[in-house]
């Protein structure tokens, strides 16, 4: 079904602006004519955007299209937290999966050296909603690698429109978390034809802080910016109750597999963090620092690379905007690899919504074209501004980092994916 979209909602970029760009991003929704331009590369890896066409980017209403989501998977990452792991698994088992007529597989990923009680709990746990698969690593690889390899393997073997929901072992979930997933899939992702290629996935927890500031975790309340709309989009990825589309994750893995290697990242600089200030860490070349982003100095983080990738490509994630900043899943902020000693009143921790009955009287999910879009610091922006900011930054890297050819090839979008 095609709906009439106001001209103002089209993503338009002038010919003059396009002549200044040499990188093709998927979020621009343009028709491209490739003009090979040799710069300081051995082979021309960027293509100039030469012809721009008005494209009706939000003309499809997902709610009136066929449902073609191959699978919705649930992934749990655990290690040495027996009671939280058991609690999370029990919450997931008791959740409401009505309305989804396909089995929901559960993947439990345990890092090497996992607590024996955690292993026993995982082996004996009975999952009634589909197949259970247990992934126990022979050696310890750390939380970053668990995220990357667990979802990387799942996405690689999944269909292109598979949704992967991932929880760390210190999380709690609402019994209606899956109903929210079904709601946003119905509205924004029933199939690849109606799913915006900007959209990497859905978060079950809201944004409550600006984590890109120094010092981090400046408090932020979505309802003061968004209003009462039940959802919004952000260029910041989620790690607490996140659901990622398999095709987007596969593209991310192509980037991150290069980004984590020298000379673009130094794993050895993460070894002696005790007493170190993050700003003193030499993790990555300054030429690769995103503008005004605290993620530039996050050690042992998979998310910092997702921030890099999404920023350059102008990609977004959808977040819930429920009353009282409630969440469908939330962290307990237990001490761990990325959290210090647990503290009460952590600004990042949300109250769980007990039931969708709490939403009685609220509006429905907005049309995709009406969703508020946020930048790295939770300021309202547009897809056009995100795309142009990413392009500007990548041109900066291209000009200032003469040894970054391999990284640029996987960071920029390949125009052949559009024109072929």
């Amino acid at each position: 079904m095609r709906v009439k979209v106001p001209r103002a909602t089209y993503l338009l970029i002038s010919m003059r602006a396009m002549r200044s760009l040499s990188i093709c991003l998927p979020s621009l929704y343009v028709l491209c004519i490739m003009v090979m331009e040799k710069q300081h590369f051995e082979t021309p890896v960027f293509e100039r955007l030469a012809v721009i066409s008005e494209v009706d980017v939000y003309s499809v209403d997902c709610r009136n299209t066929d449902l073609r989501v191959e699978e919705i998977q649930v992934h749990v990452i655990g290690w040495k937290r027996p009671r939280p792991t058991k609690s999370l698994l029990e919450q997931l088992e008791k959740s409401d999966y009505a309305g989804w007529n396909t089995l929901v597989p559960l993947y439990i990923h345990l890092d090497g050296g996992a607590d024996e009680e955690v292993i026993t709990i995982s082996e004996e746990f009975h999952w009634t909603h589909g197949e259970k698969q247990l992934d126990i690593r022979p050696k310890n690889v750390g939380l970053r690698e668990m995220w990357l390899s667990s979802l990387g393997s799942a996405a690689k073997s999944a269909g292109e429109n598979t949704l992967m929901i991932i929880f760390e072992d210190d999380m709690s979930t609402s019994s209606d978390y899956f109903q929210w997933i079904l709601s946003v899939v119905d509205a924004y992702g029933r199939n690849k034809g109606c799913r915006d290629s900007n959209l990497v996935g859905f978060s079950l927890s809201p944004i409550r802080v600006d984590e890109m500031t120094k010092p981090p975790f400046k408090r932020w309340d979505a309802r003061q910016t968004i209003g009462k709309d039940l959802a919004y989009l952000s260029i910041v990825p989620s790690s607490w109750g996140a659901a990622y589309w398999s095709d987007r994750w596969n593209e991310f893995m192509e980037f991150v597999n290069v980004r984590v290697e020298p000379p673009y990242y130094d794993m050895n600089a993460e070894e002696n963090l005790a007493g170190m200030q993050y700003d003193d860490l030499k993790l990555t070349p300054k030429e690769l620092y995103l503008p005004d982003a605290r993620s530039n100095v996050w050690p042992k983080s998979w998310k910092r690379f997702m921030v890099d990738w999404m920023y350059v490509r102008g990609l977004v994630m959808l977040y819930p905007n429920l009353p009282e900043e409630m969440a469908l899943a939330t962290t307990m902020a237990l001490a761990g690899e990325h959290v210090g000693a647990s503290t009460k009143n952590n600004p990042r921790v949300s109250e769980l919504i007990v039931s969708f009955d709490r939403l009685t009287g609220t509006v429905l999910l907005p049309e995709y074209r009406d969703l508020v879009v946020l930048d790295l610091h939770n300021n309202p922006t547009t897809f056009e501004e995100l795309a142009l900011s990413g392009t500007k930054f990548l041109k900066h890297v291209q000009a200032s980092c003469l040894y970054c050819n391999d990284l640029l090839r996987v960071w920029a979008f390949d125009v052949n994916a559009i024109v072929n």
Side-chain angles (χ1 to χ4, degrees), residues 171-239:
M171 297 200 66
S172 295
T173 68
S174 163
S175 60
D176 275 340
Y177 90 91
F178 199 81
Q179 294 304 305
W180 173 262
I181 289 294
L182 293 182
S183 296
V184 292
V185 166
D186 183 60
Y188 309 122
R190 290 178 63 85
N191 55 72
K192 287 194 68 175
C194 73
R195 169 161 62 88
D196 178 21
S197 61
N198 277 357
L199 186 64
V200 299
F202 310 109
S203 177
L204 294 168
S205 58
I207 297 175
R208 290 172 54 95
V209 297
D210 177 358
E211 58 184 323
M212 294 296 162
T213 57
K214 178 188 176 183
F217 311 136
K218 179 182 177 182
R219 189 71 171 88
W220 182 76
D221 185 344
R223 293 234 150 183
Q224 295 180 8
T225 301
I226 310 301
K228 294 184 179 181
D229 285 348
L230 286 183
Y232 55 91
L233 300 168
S234 172
I235 200 168
V236 178
S238 173
S239 58

Side-chain angles (χ1 to χ4, degrees), residues 143-183:
L143 186 59
R144 173 177 55 207
E145 180 58 25
M146 288 298 292
W147 265 84
L148 295 176
S149 58
S150 298
L151 285 192
S153 175
K156 190 174 182 180
S157 59
E160 289 189 342
N161 208 42
T162 291
L163 195 61
M164 308 177 299
I165 312 171
I166 189 160
F167 302 95
E168 295 180 9
D169 58 7
D170 65 342
M171 297 200 66
S172 295
T173 68
S174 163
S175 60
D176 275 340
Y177 90 91
F178 199 81
Q179 294 304 305
W180 173 262
I181 289 294
L182 293 182
S183 296

